[in-house]
């Protein structure tokens, strides 16, 4: 099914059963917002400042157990998420942060409202993505929600250049996630558990 990258972003959120997102529009995320207008299942909560979007998404995740989603534009919009992302990381809260970005061919040129947000949050985030090919959007969104909600939950950021949002793709949402090197388990090590029990009993 052919659609724009922005429309595929909305479809990905719908596929993940996202019902509420928290955000503040801006120039580089406008294609996404235009596509979001046509969604019948996602309610957008408009915040007064981008930092509130991260904290509100975090609060939503704490209450519902689902991944919270926040959406902002590039530059200062993206950097205003940093405190909320760091909080979610330290508190093990599943969060997916979506940021707009300048055109991909202008990255690294210090143009208006360009910030390396993936690099800025790298010390306190579970994983980051910078979309370089629009056809990767469905796979990356699927992986982002999987990473955010499995193992030790935490925040994941997806940075989407505006030209990737405007590009046409053949949309197909993956049914499964298979990330080499990321196979989290919540099962304890039986030998270690027995050792802990034995140590406690001997005290």
């Amino acid at each position: 099914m052919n659609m724009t990258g922005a429309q595929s972003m909305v479809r990905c959120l719908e596929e993940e059963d996202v019902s509420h997102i928290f955000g503040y529009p801006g120039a580089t995320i406008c294609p996404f917002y235009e596509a979001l207008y046509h969604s019948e299942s996602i309610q957008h909560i408009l915040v007064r400042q981008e930092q509130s979007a991260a904290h509100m998404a975090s609060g939503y995740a704490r209450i519902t157990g689902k991944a919270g989603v926040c959406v902002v534009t590039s530059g200062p919009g993206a950097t205003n998420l940093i405190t909320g992302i760091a909080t979610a990381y330290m508190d093990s809260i599943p969060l997916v942060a979506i940021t707009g970005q300048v055109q991909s061919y202008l990255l690294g040129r210090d143009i208006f409202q360009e910030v390396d947000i993936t690099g800025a949050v790298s010390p306190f985030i579970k994983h980051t993505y910078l979309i370089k090919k629009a056809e990767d959007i469905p796979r990356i969104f699927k992986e982002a929600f999987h990473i955010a909600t499995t193992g030790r939950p935490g925040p994941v950021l997806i940075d989407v250049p505006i030209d990737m949002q405007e590009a046409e793709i053949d949309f197909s949402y993956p049914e499964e996630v298979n990330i080499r090197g990321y196979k989290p388990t919540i099962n304890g090590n039986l030998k270690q558990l027995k050792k802990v029990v034995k140590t406690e009993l001997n005290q």
Side-chain angles (χ1 to χ4, degrees):
M1 181 184 301
N2 285 338
M3 60 179 67
T4 65
Q7 290 169 330
S8 75
M9 292 163 67
V10 175
R11 282 291 300 274
C12 291
L13 295 176
E14 292 172 341
E15 291 284 343
E16 292 294 331
D17 294 323
V18 173
S19 58
H20 295 79
I21 64 174
F22 307 87
Y24 194 89
T28 63
I29 198 68
C30 274
F32 169 81
Y33 270 96
E34 290 168 359
L36 181 65
Y37 178 78
H38 301 285
S39 175
E40 297 180 357
S41 61
I42 301 175
Q43 181 181 355
H44 178 264
I45 311 298
L46 179 67
V47 299
R48 295 294 182 91
Q49 200 252 23
E50 293 88 359
Q51 185 174 147
S52 299
H55 290 306
M56 291 169 75
S58 176
Y60 176 86
R62 293 166 195 258
I63 293 169
T64 65
K66 300 168 58 178
V69 180
C70 53
V71 184
V72 300
T73 191
S74 62
T79 57
N80 280 340
L81 293 180
I82 288 177
T83 300
I85 289 172
T87 301
Y89 182 73
M90 289 185 285
D91 291 350
S92 302
I93 304 302
L95 187 74
V96 175
I98 302 168
T99 55
Q101 184 56 275
V102 301
Q103 290 91 339
S104 57
Y105 56 86
L106 294 175
L107 288 170
R109 298 188 182 184
D110 294 327
I111 69 163
F112 180 66
Q113 291 207 338
E114 179 201 353
V115 166
D116 176 17
I117 190 62
T118 57
V121 299
S122 61
F124 42 78
I125 197 163
K126 195 170 180 186
H127 196 60
T128 62
Y129 290 96
L130 171 61
I131 304 286
K132 297 179 179 178
K133 295 189 292 184
E135 56 266 28
D136 289 340
I137 289 174
R139 174 185 61 80
I140 286 174
F141 269 69
K142 183 74 172 180
E143 290 181 3
F145 277 88
H146 176 72
I147 292 170
T149 57
T150 56
R152 176 189 171 187
V156 177
L157 183 138
I158 309 172
D159 199 27
V160 193
I162 188 171
D163 54 322
M164 297 296 106
Q165 298 173 52
E166 295 170 337
E168 290 276 337
I169 70 166
D170 184 13
F171 180 83
S172 177
Y173 201 62
E175 293 184 2
E176 298 179 351
V177 173
N178 185 14
I179 306 172
R180 186 173 60 184
Y182 182 74
K183 308 291 181 187
T185 178
I186 58 173
N187 297 321
N189 182 294
L190 190 57
K191 288 183 179 179
Q192 290 177 339
L193 290 173
K194 287 180 178 178
K195 186 176 181 181
V196 168
V197 171
K198 185 177 180 180
T199 302
E200 290 296 319
L201 290 175
N202 291 334
Q203 286 183 351

